[in-house]
mmCIF file of all heavy atoms in Angstrom:
data_model
loop_
_atom_site.group_PDB
_atom_site.id
_atom_site.type_symbol
_atom_site.label_atom_id
_atom_site.label_comp_id
_atom_site.label_asym_id
_atom_site.label_seq_id
_atom_site.Cartn_x
_atom_site.Cartn_y
_atom_site.Cartn_z
ATOM 1 N N ALA U 322 -7.910 -42.881 5.931
ATOM 2 C CA ALA U 322 -8.387 -41.678 6.594
ATOM 3 C C ALA U 322 -9.883 -41.448 6.249
ATOM 4 O O ALA U 322 -10.684 -41.080 7.119
ATOM 5 C CB ALA U 322 -7.551 -40.520 6.202
ATOM 6 N N ALA U 323 -10.204 -41.711 5.055
ATOM 7 C CA ALA U 323 -11.626 -41.521 4.608
ATOM 8 C C ALA U 323 -12.551 -42.562 5.287
ATOM 9 O O ALA U 323 -13.598 -42.201 5.739
ATOM 10 C CB ALA U 323 -11.707 -41.742 3.073
ATOM 11 N N LEU U 324 -12.075 -43.768 5.459
ATOM 12 C CA LEU U 324 -12.864 -44.719 6.237
ATOM 13 C C LEU U 324 -13.009 -44.347 7.654
ATOM 14 O O LEU U 324 -14.082 -44.380 8.332
ATOM 15 C CB LEU U 324 -12.239 -46.121 6.101
ATOM 16 C CG LEU U 324 -12.454 -46.851 4.782
ATOM 17 C CD1 LEU U 324 -11.441 -48.039 4.612
ATOM 18 C CD2 LEU U 324 -13.874 -47.381 4.718
ATOM 19 N N GLU U 325 -11.866 -43.876 8.281
ATOM 20 C CA GLU U 325 -11.903 -43.426 9.642
ATOM 21 C C GLU U 325 -12.831 -42.231 9.804
ATOM 22 O O GLU U 325 -13.544 -42.127 10.847
ATOM 23 C CB GLU U 325 -10.510 -43.071 10.159
ATOM 24 C CG GLU U 325 -9.612 -44.259 10.457
ATOM 25 C CD GLU U 325 -10.030 -44.993 11.655
ATOM 26 O OE1 GLU U 325 -10.988 -44.587 12.373
ATOM 27 O OE2 GLU U 325 -9.383 -46.038 11.927
ATOM 28 N N ALA U 326 -12.882 -41.375 8.817
ATOM 29 C CA ALA U 326 -13.787 -40.200 8.917
ATOM 30 C C ALA U 326 -15.223 -40.608 8.640
ATOM 31 O O ALA U 326 -16.151 -39.800 8.817
ATOM 32 C CB ALA U 326 -13.347 -39.187 7.910
ATOM 33 N N GLY U 327 -15.470 -41.743 8.127
ATOM 34 C CA GLY U 327 -16.869 -42.243 7.836
ATOM 35 C C GLY U 327 -17.455 -41.710 6.586
ATOM 36 O O GLY U 327 -18.738 -41.625 6.482
ATOM 37 N N ILE U 328 -16.649 -41.257 5.629
ATOM 38 C CA ILE U 328 -17.176 -40.679 4.470
ATOM 39 C C ILE U 328 -17.242 -41.574 3.256
ATOM 40 O O ILE U 328 -17.834 -41.273 2.194
ATOM 41 C CB ILE U 328 -16.448 -39.360 4.020
ATOM 42 C CG1 ILE U 328 -15.042 -39.739 3.532
ATOM 43 C CG2 ILE U 328 -16.423 -38.332 5.126
ATOM 44 C CD1 ILE U 328 -14.373 -38.562 2.836
ATOM 45 N N VAL U 329 -16.696 -42.783 3.402
ATOM 46 C CA VAL U 329 -16.741 -43.783 2.330
ATOM 47 C C VAL U 329 -18.080 -44.526 2.360
ATOM 48 O O VAL U 329 -18.467 -45.155 3.392
ATOM 49 C CB VAL U 329 -15.582 -44.781 2.380
ATOM 50 C CG1 VAL U 329 -15.693 -45.823 1.352
ATOM 51 C CG2 VAL U 329 -14.263 -44.110 2.295
ATOM 52 N N ASP U 330 -18.800 -44.518 1.283
ATOM 53 C CA ASP U 330 -20.082 -45.232 1.259
ATOM 54 C C ASP U 330 -19.971 -46.659 0.667
ATOM 55 O O ASP U 330 -20.675 -47.572 1.070
ATOM 56 C CB ASP U 330 -21.063 -44.431 0.362
ATOM 57 C CG ASP U 330 -21.406 -43.070 0.949
ATOM 58 O OD1 ASP U 330 -22.201 -43.066 1.833
ATOM 59 O OD2 ASP U 330 -20.790 -42.075 0.454
ATOM 60 N N ARG U 331 -19.010 -46.842 -0.276
ATOM 61 C CA ARG U 331 -18.902 -48.062 -1.021
ATOM 62 C C ARG U 331 -17.491 -48.290 -1.372
ATOM 63 O O ARG U 331 -16.718 -47.328 -1.587
ATOM 64 C CB ARG U 331 -19.772 -48.048 -2.230
ATOM 65 C CG ARG U 331 -20.047 -49.371 -2.945
ATOM 66 C CD ARG U 331 -21.098 -49.253 -3.981
ATOM 67 N NE ARG U 331 -21.452 -50.423 -4.771
ATOM 68 C CZ ARG U 331 -22.174 -51.410 -4.344
ATOM 69 N NH1 ARG U 331 -22.836 -51.341 -3.097
ATOM 70 N NH2 ARG U 331 -22.275 -52.531 -5.030
ATOM 71 N N VAL U 332 -17.036 -49.595 -1.420
ATOM 72 C CA VAL U 332 -15.698 -49.923 -1.835
ATOM 73 C C VAL U 332 -15.773 -50.773 -3.079
ATOM 74 O O VAL U 332 -16.676 -51.524 -3.306
ATOM 75 C CB VAL U 332 -14.855 -50.629 -0.673
ATOM 76 C CG1 VAL U 332 -14.744 -49.701 0.529
ATOM 77 C CG2 VAL U 332 -15.548 -51.938 -0.346
ATOM 78 N N ARG U 333 -14.694 -50.682 -3.902
ATOM 79 C CA ARG U 333 -14.526 -51.561 -5.081
ATOM 80 C C ARG U 333 -13.051 -52.034 -5.056
ATOM 81 O O ARG U 333 -12.231 -51.144 -5.451
ATOM 82 C CB ARG U 333 -14.965 -50.888 -6.344
ATOM 83 C CG ARG U 333 -14.714 -51.728 -7.569
ATOM 84 C CD ARG U 333 -15.094 -51.040 -8.867
ATOM 85 N NE ARG U 333 -16.539 -50.888 -8.980
ATOM 86 C CZ ARG U 333 -17.176 -50.583 -10.105
ATOM 87 N NH1 ARG U 333 -16.470 -50.406 -11.221
ATOM 88 N NH2 ARG U 333 -18.448 -50.469 -10.146
ATOM 89 N N TYR U 334 -12.877 -53.215 -4.748
ATOM 90 C CA TYR U 334 -11.418 -53.726 -4.692
ATOM 91 C C TYR U 334 -11.339 -54.642 -5.961
ATOM 92 O O TYR U 334 -12.104 -55.613 -6.092
ATOM 93 C CB TYR U 334 -11.208 -54.540 -3.414
ATOM 94 C CG TYR U 334 -10.693 -53.709 -2.268
ATOM 95 C CD1 TYR U 334 -11.191 -52.452 -2.064
ATOM 96 C CD2 TYR U 334 -9.731 -54.179 -1.381
ATOM 97 C CE1 TYR U 334 -10.689 -51.698 -0.995
ATOM 98 C CE2 TYR U 334 -9.284 -53.463 -0.348
ATOM 99 C CZ TYR U 334 -9.788 -52.175 -0.151
ATOM 100 O OH TYR U 334 -9.323 -51.421 0.892
ATOM 101 N N CYS U 335 -10.316 -54.262 -6.749
ATOM 102 C CA CYS U 335 -10.054 -55.043 -8.015
ATOM 103 C C CYS U 335 -8.802 -55.821 -7.819
ATOM 104 O O CYS U 335 -7.696 -55.216 -7.829
ATOM 105 C CB CYS U 335 -9.953 -54.097 -9.191
ATOM 106 S SG CYS U 335 -9.778 -54.883 -10.771
ATOM 107 N N TYR U 336 -8.948 -57.157 -7.680
ATOM 108 C CA TYR U 336 -7.757 -57.969 -7.440
ATOM 109 C C TYR U 336 -7.214 -58.603 -8.720
ATOM 110 O O TYR U 336 -7.902 -59.209 -9.560
ATOM 111 C CB TYR U 336 -8.201 -59.200 -6.546
ATOM 112 C CG TYR U 336 -8.458 -58.854 -5.186
ATOM 113 C CD1 TYR U 336 -9.797 -58.414 -4.712
ATOM 114 C CD2 TYR U 336 -7.462 -58.810 -4.180
ATOM 115 C CE1 TYR U 336 -10.042 -58.078 -3.474
ATOM 116 C CE2 TYR U 336 -7.751 -58.454 -2.819
ATOM 117 C CZ TYR U 336 -9.060 -58.085 -2.474
ATOM 118 O OH TYR U 336 -9.262 -57.746 -1.161
ATOM 119 N N ALA U 337 -5.937 -58.328 -8.927
ATOM 120 C CA ALA U 337 -5.169 -58.876 -10.106
ATOM 121 C C ALA U 337 -4.596 -60.249 -9.759
ATOM 122 O O ALA U 337 -4.199 -60.505 -8.605
ATOM 123 C CB ALA U 337 -4.030 -57.936 -10.525
ATOM 124 N N PRO U 338 -4.542 -61.127 -10.687
ATOM 125 C CA PRO U 338 -4.041 -62.479 -10.393
ATOM 126 C C PRO U 338 -2.486 -62.520 -10.364
ATOM 127 O O PRO U 338 -1.800 -63.196 -11.152
ATOM 128 C CB PRO U 338 -4.559 -63.328 -11.582
ATOM 129 C CG PRO U 338 -4.637 -62.366 -12.698
ATOM 130 C CD PRO U 338 -4.994 -61.045 -12.068
ATOM 131 N N ILE U 339 -1.923 -61.717 -9.414
ATOM 132 C CA ILE U 339 -0.477 -61.692 -9.235
ATOM 133 C C ILE U 339 -0.228 -61.601 -7.734
ATOM 134 O O ILE U 339 -1.099 -61.207 -6.932
ATOM 135 C CB ILE U 339 0.199 -60.398 -9.854
ATOM 136 C CG1 ILE U 339 -0.467 -59.129 -9.300
ATOM 137 C CG2 ILE U 339 -0.031 -60.501 -11.385
ATOM 138 C CD1 ILE U 339 0.234 -57.840 -9.771
#
Side-chain angles (χ1 to χ4, degrees):
L324 283 165
E325 286 288 357
I328 67 168
V329 177
D330 297 282
R331 192 169 178 85
V332 298
R333 177 180 291 194
Y334 273 36
C335 186
Y336 288 91
I339 59 174

